[in-house]
Amino acid sequence: MSAADHEWPLWEIFIRGQHGLNHRHVGSLHAADAEAAIRNARDVYTRRNEGVSIWAVRADDIVASSPGKKGPLYEPANSKVYRHPTFFDIPDDVGAM
Amino acid sequence: MYAQMVKSTGTGVKSLDEMDPRERAFQERIDAGEKIEPKDWMPEEYRKTLIRQIGQHAHSEIVGQLPEGNWITRAPTLERKAILLAKVQDEAGHGLYLYCAAETLGVSRDEMTRMLLDGRMKYSSIFNYPTLTWADMGAVGWLVDGAAIMNQVPLQRTSYGPYSRAMIRICKEESFHQRQGFDIMMKMANGTAAQKKMAQDALNRFWYPALMMFGPSDKDSVHSAQSMAWKIKMNTNDELRQKFVDQTVPQAEYLGLTVPDDKLAWNEERGHYDFSEPDWDEFYDVLKGNGPCNRERLAARQKAWDDNQWVRDGLLAHAQKREAMKVAAE
């Protein structure tokens, strides 16, 4: 069930929906090279004007965190609830803050 | 949709107590409405069942282009032709979204294509029926895409993340497909006597095959329980079929067309229409490969695969050559 030798490489596609927004991951596709990846992404992911800019990244080049280590990886943030503004009780009399 | 008779484990659904700790944690995540992502641990049967289901769904989108592609060159106006082209292109896109989702489970695109071509994987029975007249383009969009939407809308909430996201994209686009079909039906049903007859004939031929799309009756549906526990199937076949009939019958009435079922009647007590079951012997026969167009459809897929081999190879060779030149220049 491994990828066959002759298959085009897999690309992950990111699209900027409109000016001012971040690129967002929308899916993946196969293409022989970068140029074709952009062209295919245009046809597969923007048939209804969904984007103003496309990024194509080889799937092999993406480094991902391990889902199994979710706990320890995010633990440092979990113990610092004071980073959220709602941690502090400010009297209503103080006004907008 | 487009996934009928997807095999899952035959051992029945285990209770939480019977599961090993990993399985239990997995089931509890699903019960809590969490999404399972590609790199998470999952039971082997969950993975295999999903590959079969998503693969079958993807193949259906691709094979589903054939009965409609049949009418692109003969569409009655340039506008209808452009719309049909866009619709068929969407189906290709839907196939691609789904192949990508299946690939995250560790099966390659080429492997899935080989499994389709050698009969190990299936596509929906509906695409083995011919499209004989232009009115069939209306009936396919209205009934076939309509039935697909019934099934796909709940699947947006399925437990497997990539499948759920593919479904969300597909559902956004599917409504165009059904409406363009109904629009064709309205035009035909309100046209000349001959056109109206053509519309009625299309409804007559596609009604029961559309009902078959939901799969066999619940009492004969052996694979449902585990798939529903895993949330890769959200409703039973009979629930969805009933919903489809309830929604579609008033639309047929609006068109002034007659649903080809003597037993069709509103049941006040149940709050649903009573209707006749499709011919299940025909359904199993079509699945076995004996429908009117099975051989033609697979032959078309085989021809496309063989004839385009040189394009796939050529583009890859070109990309590799350019990569080598770039490395040499550095």
Side-chain angles (χ1 to χ4, degrees):
Chain A
M1 293 249 237
S2 66
D5 298 334
H6 292 298
E7 232 168 88
W8 291 345
L10 188 68
W11 301 76
E12 296 297 334
I13 306 302
F14 300 80
I15 292 186
R16 186 198 295 286
Q18 41 181 292
H19 291 291
L21 297 183
N22 290 317
H23 282 76
R24 267 183 70 182
H25 183 243
V26 292
S28 51
L29 51 76
H30 289 271
D33 58 23
E35 209 180 307
I38 296 279
R39 245 190 346 255
N40 291 356
R42 194 269 316 258
D43 290 342
V44 180
Y45 293 110
T46 67
R47 287 194 303 282
R48 287 170 176 77
N49 292 318
E50 286 96 336
V52 294
S53 162
I54 299 172
W55 287 350
V57 183
R58 279 285 295 263
D60 291 345
D61 292 336
I62 289 185
V63 182
S65 63
S66 154
K69 293 187 184 138
K70 213 158 44 183
L73 191 63
Y74 301 111
E75 201 287 321
N78 286 341
S79 58
K80 296 174 183 60
V81 286
Y82 43 79
R83 282 198 162 127
H84 296 281
T86 46
F87 178 78
F88 304 94
D89 280 330
I90 305 289
D92 289 347
D93 300 344
V94 177
M97 181 179 282
Chain B
M1 156 131 320
Y2 298 157
Q4 299 156 323
M5 306 285 293
V6 175
K7 282 197 194 104
S8 69
T9 169
T11 53
V13 186
K14 288 187 200 166
S15 71
L16 283 176
D17 293 335
E18 292 166 321
M19 295 177 185
D20 69 39
R22 264 196 318 190
E23 270 181 289
R24 193 179 314 136
F26 175 83
Q27 187 63 49
E28 280 167 352
R29 286 184 63 196
I30 289 181
D31 294 343
E34 271 186 50
K35 297 284 181 232
I36 307 302
E37 295 296 340
K39 291 191 171 152
D40 296 345
W41 182 86
M42 59 187 82
E44 192 53 21
E45 276 302 322
Y46 175 85
R47 198 180 67 80
K48 281 191 188 156
T49 307
L50 265 180
I51 288 176
R52 274 192 291 263
Q53 179 171 334
I54 304 174
Q56 191 181 112
H57 195 158
H59 294 322
S60 298
E61 301 283 355
I62 300 299
V63 176
Q65 293 178 103
L66 298 170
E68 292 184 299
N70 179 34
W71 279 91
I72 291 174
T73 56
R74 293 174 289 163
T77 67
L78 191 56
E79 187 185 55
R80 292 284 184 198
K81 182 181 193 150
I83 291 170
L84 186 58
L85 256 177
K87 199 249 178 197
V88 172
Q89 191 195 16
D90 269 357
E91 304 298 359
H94 295 179
L96 294 178
Y97 304 155
L98 287 160
Y99 282 129
C100 287
E103 280 175 286
T104 63
L105 293 156
V107 62
S108 79
R109 183 83 53 101
D110 285 6
E111 177 66 8
M112 280 187 278
T113 306
R114 273 193 294 272
M115 288 196 279
L116 170 70
L117 295 178
D118 69 20
R120 277 178 292 160
M121 278 180 125
K122 301 278 182 215
Y123 55 89
S124 175
S125 58
I126 189 73
F127 302 117
N128 291 312
Y129 291 87
T131 45
L132 304 176
T133 72
W134 172 252
D136 288 8
M137 294 302 94
V140 167
W142 172 37
L143 301 174
V144 176
D145 290 272
I149 290 171
M150 276 299 153
N151 197 57
Q152 290 174 160
V153 165
L155 274 177
Q156 292 178 104
R157 293 179 283 111
T158 187
S159 63
Y160 189 56
Y163 192 26
S164 155
R165 293 189 284 273
M167 279 297 124
I168 291 169
R169 295 192 74 84
I170 288 175
C171 285
K172 265 191 204 155
E173 302 180 346
E174 202 76 70
S175 173
F176 149 52
H177 298 177
Q178 194 187 14
R179 298 180 99 170
Q180 67 87 35
F182 195 74
D183 188 61
I184 292 173
M185 289 307 272
M186 285 198 297
K187 198 81 179 173
M188 300 294 284
N190 294 312
T192 63
Q195 285 170 323
K196 185 165 181 183
K197 205 173 147 205
M198 223 185 256
Q200 180 63 54
D201 171 59
L203 172 58
N204 292 348
R205 282 181 291 106
F206 276 96
W207 177 254
Y208 287 106
L211 295 188
M212 291 178 200
M213 288 175 67
F214 298 97
S217 180
D218 293 347
K219 58 185 190 309
D220 305 315
S221 182
V222 283
H223 309 299
S224 287
Q226 180 61 71
S227 290
M228 290 184 79
W230 279 333
K231 292 192 189 165
I232 57 183
K233 183 181 172 91
M234 310 300 286
N235 304 86
T236 71
N237 298 347
D238 286 336
E239 266 168 35
L240 291 173
R241 190 167 14 249
Q242 181 73 60
K243 208 171 159 200
F244 174 75
V245 171
D246 290 347
Q247 183 180 301
T248 309
V249 169
Q251 295 168 352
E253 282 166 6
Y254 178 86
L255 292 171
L257 300 178
T258 311
V259 172
D261 179 357
D262 298 339
K263 296 208 184 98
L264 185 78
W266 177 253
N267 184 326
E268 193 66 54
E269 203 176 310
R270 289 201 308 130
H272 292 292
Y273 282 95
D274 292 334
F275 59 96
S276 302
E277 294 270 314
D279 177 352
W280 292 114
D281 290 338
E282 177 183 319
F283 171 74
Y284 289 113
D285 208 35
V286 171
L287 278 194
K288 260 186 246 152
N290 300 321
C293 299
N294 293 58
R295 284 170 196 80
E296 191 185 326
R297 300 296 185 232
L298 267 188
R301 291 307 304 140
Q302 183 73 56
K303 184 175 186 307
W305 180 248
D306 294 342
D307 289 358
N308 296 329
Q309 179 74 48
W310 71 273
V311 179
R312 296 193 297 276
D313 291 346
L315 285 174
L316 192 60
H318 175 69
Q320 283 164 347
K321 196 168 137 193
R322 279 219 309 200
E323 189 61 31
M325 281 164 65
K326 210 169 92 188
V327 172
E330 275 165 8

